[in-house]
Amino acid sequence: MNSSIFKKIMVATDGSELTKKAVDSAIEITKLNEAKLYAVHVVAPGDFAITQNEPRDAEWKKEIKEHLTTQGKEATAYVENVGKAANIEVESVILEGNPADEIVDFAEKNEIDLIVMGTLGKTGIKRFLLGSVAENVVRHSKKAVLVVRRD
Amino acid sequence: MGIVDFKKIRIATDGSTCSELAADKGIAFARLSGGTVYAVHVLSKAYLSAMDESAYSAVGTNPYWESIKEAFQKHWH
């Protein structure tokens, strides 16, 4: 019997403690559906621009980007490891740009059936119930979105 | 079994086509996870107060109930 409803699932991770529950949920849903899981991290170097186009900015930005990419790879590697333990197929993807836009675009282009994400991560401010990235994905994606809150 | 097991799934429906799509997914998902579905429809106070008693009895039952049942039967024969 194959009654799975989601064939391709993606989990957006920023590697923070807060997205771990989203990862757990994504893994469980992937397992139940015998689906494929994409672990997606979006590098957003724009957030870290501190000066306005001074000559040394280029060097600074390059280093920041490298650092963020390394962090992103750690975040997706975490999903791969948890996935491996659960015996599911995980593909890591690193994107660059505005996180919400990239998540929505990726889901569209790759015909993702379900987007799983946490409510707030690194950019989160506790008083907001819904992180801005999650909010924008929910608003703009045509795909099903599961927002996982932490306990 | 993981930390998250999806044993209780609440489906909020207003009977619209959109919420039927959501109900379909929710029910199919509950079937996979072996969970229980709690179908919820909220009658808004504003809506109710706009209808007097006789208008409400004319409707008889919740007009959306049929669509919830239909979605349910589609997945749980």
Side-chain angles (χ1 to χ4, degrees):
Chain A
M1 179 189 73
N2 189 1
S3 55
S4 62
I5 31 176
F6 307 118
K7 308 253 183 250
K8 285 167 132 190
I9 298 168
M10 75 182 265
V11 61
T13 173
D14 61 5
S16 71
E17 212 39 51
L18 296 166
T19 56
K20 284 192 172 157
K21 207 176 164 206
V23 172
D24 287 342
S25 299
I27 299 266
E28 186 64 26
I29 296 169
T30 305
K31 219 162 45 175
L32 288 171
N33 285 277
E34 293 169 23
K36 183 181 175 180
L37 182 64
Y38 293 84
V40 179
H41 174 84
V42 183
V43 174
D47 296 350
F48 292 85
I50 51 160
T51 61
Q52 298 196 331
N53 290 320
E54 280 185 28
R56 58 181 169 205
D57 255 21
E59 189 62 27
W60 167 247
K61 276 182 185 160
K62 197 176 139 236
E63 270 182 44
I64 288 281
K65 196 174 138 183
E66 271 166 23
H67 175 69
L68 292 176
T69 306
T70 307
Q71 274 192 339
K73 282 182 180 156
E74 281 167 16
T76 56
Y78 169 80
V79 183
E80 276 187 43
N81 288 335
V82 182
K84 202 176 279 173
N87 214 11
I88 61 162
E89 193 189 347
V90 179
E91 188 178 321
S92 287
V93 181
I94 305 281
L95 303 170
E96 192 188 324
N98 172 288
D101 292 348
E102 293 301 319
I103 291 165
V104 170
D105 280 356
F106 180 87
E108 200 61 43
K109 283 182 190 139
N110 294 279
E111 296 173 314
I112 297 293
D113 302 306
L114 175 70
I115 302 169
V116 182
M117 60 194 306
T119 45
L120 31 88
K122 286 184 174 149
T123 59
I125 298 169
K126 284 199 181 89
R127 68 195 160 91
F128 293 129
L129 284 172
L130 199 63
S132 64
V133 177
E135 183 182 340
N136 279 315
V137 172
V138 168
R139 277 188 200 286
H140 300 294
S141 181
K142 291 175 195 151
K143 309 295 183 187
V145 182
L146 172 65
V147 178
V148 180
R149 294 178 191 285
R150 70 164 175 165
D151 295 320
Chain B
M1 190 57 66
I3 315 157
V4 275
D5 53 10
F6 303 105
K7 290 295 177 212
K8 287 179 164 184
I9 295 172
R10 172 168 292 186
I11 296 176
T13 175
D14 62 0
S16 65
T17 311
C18 280
S19 66
E20 273 180 29
L21 286 174
D24 281 349
K25 294 258 189 214
I27 290 164
F29 186 71
R31 202 176 175 199
L32 281 179
S33 68
T36 306
V37 166
Y38 299 82
V40 178
H41 174 76
V42 179
L43 291 172
S44 98
K45 266 186 184 170
Y47 178 69
L48 279 181
S49 62
M51 301 165 87
D52 60 25
E53 276 297 305
S54 58
Y56 194 65
S57 66
V59 175
T61 54
N62 180 344
Y64 308 122
W65 185 239
E66 282 306 313
S67 61
I68 299 169
K69 267 202 316 208
E70 231 169 71
F72 192 81
Q73 277 157 358
K74 205 157 111 193
H75 295 281
W76 257 300
H77 315 282

